[in-house]
Amino acid sequence: MNQRKIDFINNQAQTNPSPYLIDVERAEGIYIWDKSGKSYMDMIAGVAVNNIGHCHPKVTAAIHQQVDQYLHVMVYGEFIQDAQLNLAKNLQSILPPQLNCSYTVNSGTEANEGALKLAKRYTGRSEIIAFNGSYHGGTHGSLSVSGNEMKKAPFRPLLPHVKFLDFNKTEGLENITAKTAAVIIEPVQGDAGVRIPTQDFLVALRNRCTETGTLLIFDEVQTGFGRTGSFFAFQKFNVIPDILTLGKALGGGMPIGAFVSSQEIMHNLTFNPMLGHITTFGGHPVVCAAAKATIDVLKEEIWIQEADQKGQLLEDLLIQDPEIFEIRRIGLMFAIDMLDFDRVKKVVDECLDKGLISFWFLSHPNSFRLSPPLSITAEEMKKAGEIILAAIAVTRR
Ligand code: PLP
């Protein structure tokens, strides 16, 4: 291992015992280049972040323009800043009228923290219902409503009054009662290995929340901004949540999260207590300028409409391999099942060698995941399929 890698491992806190160690030089479109000049086809996009590709020129131009004007000027919500306001309006333009008020934060997990607090404050209730298999982030509140017990156990005690139901099972929904402040759910579970619910389930969930006065939170941190083949997954299922949480692709490569609700619900963060959720850097102008430009790009391009077709193309190629048992896919969000983690790891490592980045799931070891930029072309999709099939063949026992 060279000195640079040793420095990285020793001096920078590590959470993965065997990181990829790609030494990044630059990134553009669907490609990342390392310092030796090797190019990688990025079929993960920072885990569903770079939906419009790396360094989109409209995003970098918006960033440059804002950097030249001003950086941080005041904590969230005190000063009127063009970049924040333009982003809020752009978000509204792609959301239904019930979701007309947004609060920008720094990450997906913070968006969920804000949403959970908002639901508790609005309903005056404390119980939260979440789903087995879910992943909502790494901070204490989000971890409390995430399903993976192995990841939670060392950090207990976590939030009290959290119950878990089975994803996509209408039978458990009677557990949502007038005591429940919020139900939080990923409309398509990501980390559980891309679990796609039926529309009936989400409709029944919506109805039960409405009956009991419970706020329904859709965590679209991963599924948002075209990943599933529509701007948001909730549009695919025709079910509108009370609170929507966003992150990842929203920033076009910059760090941002947001929770969105109605003005009526969101107003509750203004009093009892005032400043009900606060964050110094939330809504940072440079990040908001990037996010506004990202939404513009997604509105202007037809990538979202093409996601299903391009996804199908790769699915049809990969499913031909006898070692691939099942592919769960919606839009350009894939989980590809193989025999076990050992097989998955060999294929993922071989793909990396061949210049293609794929990744695994925290909670589903026998799958590997793909979430390429939506800007990928059909040709590039085919090329990716060929590389993955070759990686499977070379590593076959
Ligand atoms: N919610 C979902 C569905 C996610 O997939 C993630 C991250 O993978 C998060 C929340 C947490 O987002 P962040 O890592 O920005 O805190």
Side-chain angles (χ1 to χ4, degrees), residues 72-343:
H72 179 82
V73 285
M74 186 53 177
V75 294
Y76 177 89
E78 297 296 329
F79 292 179
I80 303 173
Q81 300 179 43
D82 285 338
Q84 284 182 358
L85 192 55
N86 292 340
L87 171 60
K89 286 201 211 151
N90 218 5
L91 268 173
Q92 255 181 58
S93 77
I94 53 170
L95 287 168
Q98 299 94 312
L99 298 171
N100 59 4
C101 193
S102 57
Y103 190 128
T104 38
V105 291
N106 304 284
S107 62
T109 196
E110 192 190 351
N112 287 330
E113 297 287 344
L116 293 173
K117 283 171 67 186
L118 178 61
K120 286 167 90 170
R121 168 67 187 83
Y122 178 74
T123 60
R125 306 172 186 175
S126 61
E127 181 182 87
I128 296 161
I129 290 190
F131 289 87
N132 292 319
S134 60
Y135 179 72
H136 296 292
T139 52
H140 271 77
S142 300
L143 195 59
S144 305
V145 294
S146 294
N148 188 329
E149 186 51 40
M150 210 175 72
K151 296 269 189 289
K152 291 196 291 190
F155 305 109
R156 288 193 179 282
L158 294 170
L159 269 187
H161 309 158
V162 179
K163 281 188 188 160
F164 284 87
L165 304 181
D166 283 339
F167 187 74
N168 203 23
K169 292 244 164 64
T170 41
E171 295 86 69
L173 296 181
E174 69 282 354
N175 286 291
I176 302 165
T177 68
K179 287 190 179 144
T180 316
V183 172
I184 182 163
I185 188 168
E186 300 158 82
V188 173
Q189 284 192 332
D191 186 55
V194 185
R195 305 287 159 182
I196 303 161
T198 62
Q199 181 169 26
D200 285 353
F201 168 71
L202 288 182
V203 169
L205 174 62
R206 172 68 275 180
N207 291 342
R208 183 68 186 162
C209 286
T210 306
E211 266 164 42
T212 55
T214 301
L215 294 191
L216 179 57
I217 304 171
F218 273 6
D219 174 346
E220 293 230 32
V221 169
Q222 190 169 151
T223 51
F225 302 99
R227 178 56 50 201
T228 65
S230 54
F231 241 108
F232 299 100
F234 76 79
Q235 292 158 330
K236 279 223 132 141
F237 298 99
N238 214 10
V239 170
I240 300 177
D242 300 298
I243 307 177
L244 177 70
T245 65
L246 304 171
K248 287 190 182 274
L250 169 59
M254 294 291 273
I256 188 168
F259 55 105
V260 188
S261 189
S262 65
Q263 286 165 10
E264 185 223 333
I265 295 174
M266 204 66 107
H267 182 54
N268 287 273
L269 291 180
T270 319
F271 59 95
N272 283 341
M274 63 180 276
L275 308 175
H277 186 77
I278 43 175
T279 167
T280 297
F281 287 122
H284 190 282
V286 176
V287 176
C288 286
K292 193 262 177 195
T294 300
I295 297 173
D296 283 342
V297 170
L298 284 170
K299 278 163 132 181
E300 287 156 15
E301 298 289 344
I302 54 159
W303 297 328
I304 296 178
Q305 292 158 45
E306 295 171 346
D308 262 323
Q309 193 192 332
K310 288 190 263 190
Q312 190 66 51
L313 204 150
L314 183 58
E315 184 180 335
D316 290 348
L317 268 177
L318 296 182
I319 201 66
Q320 289 169 24
D321 192 288
E323 275 200 84
I324 292 179
F325 297 130
E326 188 184 338
I327 298 178
R328 286 175 303 284
R329 179 190 67 81
I330 183 165
L332 287 176
M333 182 173 180
F334 293 76
I336 297 157
D337 284 3
M338 300 194 74
L339 180 66
D340 52 25
F341 179 68
D342 183 53
R343 209 55 205 103

